[in-house]
Amino acid sequence: AVAVATAEARVKDALDDTAAARARAVKATQDHNNIILATLNLQKAQLQAEIAMYEAEGNSYKALEAKIRLKELEVKILQATIDAKIAEIKATRLQIEADVEAAKATGTYTEAKRAEIEARLAAIKVKELEAEALRSGIGLMQKQIDNLRMYGTESVKAYGASATAVGGETTAIDKN
């Protein structure tokens, strides 16, 4: 009986360690993605300052080139946001699986635990939908870049409101 209890305690400890390691992996993934996004956002601020400088100088050609680079960077930011969400989703799924394994192995997989797991899986589904919504904005932003290249600054007026909406949506989702 003592040997069985000792073995069960070791299994529980190992499962707890696995769940904790997966939680750390989720946190590390989030931290890494935050660094990438912060770097890209710094580059965005620098490009915005560059555009303002060229416009103040009256250099519309250089301003247009910088605006194109800004739009390309915004696509990278959007893609990095999507990648971050997908990485977080994958890591969270692994953590949930570890939690389920631990609960089943220790006999604590109750109806309440099952409901908690279902709620966490539903939250993952929301993040998947957010990532898909963001992905749909990439095509619109690429169209803006193409129009800027072909027609210059006037071409984005038709798409300007949409670009702002996509950018604002990205910002709002990032804060979640």
Side-chain angles (χ1 to χ4, degrees):
V2 173
V4 171
T6 302
E8 287 176 350
R10 287 184 181 159
V11 167
K12 182 184 179 318
D13 285 345
L15 291 170
D16 287 346
D17 290 346
T18 300
R22 289 185 179 174
R24 286 190 303 273
V26 169
K27 177 74 171 114
T29 298
Q30 290 169 334
D31 291 346
H32 174 74
N33 290 328
N34 287 339
I35 291 169
I36 291 171
L37 286 170
T39 302
L40 291 172
N41 282 316
L42 175 61
Q43 292 172 4
K44 180 179 177 179
Q46 291 168 334
L47 272 173
Q48 289 169 329
E50 188 178 324
I51 291 167
M53 179 190 71
Y54 289 134
E55 287 175 343
E57 292 173 351
N59 191 337
S60 59
Y61 179 77
K62 288 285 190 181
L64 179 59
E65 283 182 335
K67 286 177 184 178
I68 291 170
R69 288 193 320 269
L70 178 63
K71 286 291 176 193
E72 290 169 339
L73 184 61
E74 288 173 347
V75 169
K76 286 181 183 178
I77 291 170
L78 194 54
Q79 187 60 55
T81 301
I82 293 166
D83 293 346
K85 285 200 176 298
I86 290 170
E88 183 181 344
I89 288 165
K90 287 178 182 179
T92 302
R93 277 193 198 283
L94 289 173
Q95 186 178 4
I96 290 170
E97 289 171 10
D99 290 349
V100 169
E101 288 173 19
K104 286 181 178 179
T106 58
T108 58
Y109 191 73
T110 62
E111 193 61 33
K113 185 68 168 179
R114 186 189 61 74
E116 173 200 329
I117 296 296
E118 285 180 10
R120 289 169 64 191
L121 290 170
I124 286 176
K125 184 64 178 166
V126 169
K127 288 191 180 296
E128 289 172 336
L129 293 172
E130 289 172 349
E132 193 57 39
L134 289 173
R135 187 173 285 121
S136 69
I138 290 177
L140 175 63
M141 293 176 85
Q142 193 59 53
K143 177 76 172 161
Q144 291 172 329
I145 292 167
D146 294 344
N147 284 340
L148 273 172
R149 284 190 178 119
M150 290 180 68
Y151 307 111
T153 309
E154 294 298 314
S155 69
V156 288
K157 287 186 179 174
Y159 296 98
S162 298
T164 302
V166 169
E169 181 178 308
T170 302
T171 302
I173 290 173
D174 287 342
K175 291 180 182 174
N176 289 338

